[in-house]
Amino acid sequence: MSNIGINTNTFRITSKYLDILNDFIVKAKIHPEITDARQEQLIDFVSKLTDVNNAEPQFQMLASIIERELRNFNKRPDVFFSTLIEDIKNKNTETVVPKIELITEALDVENSEVLAKIIGD
């Protein structure tokens, strides 16, 4: 795949999950309760990121982006993700939202960088 193809694919995937995660953050700030459906969706997403046997390239890429950002903040990805899943299960919005915000920040940075590459900046 060419660089433009890789960048376009990265942009598309990060955009998709940015939309989903930003939607969660906005709704959680307005109504700080994690619904059962949202809880299941978030746990599924985080579980796919942490599953070393997951063969889906999009989740391998997302995990790589997020783990790189976590390491930049001196956070261990395994600890971060396991506590995030526990917080989601406990519907602890106060601790879930900042962690999801960190993930969205990592995806947003990557999204912006690949968009710049696509348009030639």
Side-chain angles (χ1 to χ4, degrees):
M1 185 180 281
S2 68
N3 282 342
I4 197 80
I6 291 170
N7 290 331
T8 302
N9 194 38
T10 302
F11 178 78
R12 184 185 59 78
I13 292 168
T14 54
S15 293
K16 174 184 175 181
Y17 288 98
L18 270 170
D19 288 343
I20 292 168
L21 296 172
N22 278 324
D23 181 60
F24 166 77
I25 291 168
V26 169
K27 288 179 180 175
K29 288 186 175 184
I30 294 170
H31 189 306
E33 181 179 311
I34 301 174
T35 64
D36 290 340
R38 187 64 71 181
Q39 178 186 32
E40 185 177 316
Q41 183 183 32
L42 288 171
I43 290 172
D44 182 57
F45 174 71
V46 176
S47 295
K48 286 181 179 179
L49 291 174
T50 60
D51 182 2
V52 295
N53 295 318
N54 188 338
E56 295 178 69
Q58 68 183 8
F59 283 101
Q60 292 174 351
M61 180 186 63
L62 292 170
S64 176
I65 293 166
I66 296 164
E67 287 174 7
R68 181 181 64 222
E69 188 69 10
L70 290 172
R71 287 187 186 97
N72 287 340
F73 285 98
N74 295 318
K75 296 184 182 287
R76 290 184 39 208
D78 57 333
V79 173
F80 178 87
F81 289 128
S82 65
T83 59
L84 176 55
I85 288 173
E86 283 304 310
D87 291 341
I88 295 167
K89 286 179 181 177
N90 294 329
K91 297 185 177 190
N92 188 346
T93 308
E94 290 180 19
T95 58
V96 170
V97 169
K99 291 176 182 174
I100 297 295
E101 286 176 330
L102 193 141
I103 291 172
T104 58
E105 180 64 26
L107 296 180
D108 188 47
V109 168
E110 186 73 20
N111 188 272
S112 296
E113 288 177 3
V114 296
L115 179 59
K117 289 176 185 176
I118 291 169
I119 61 175
D121 284 349

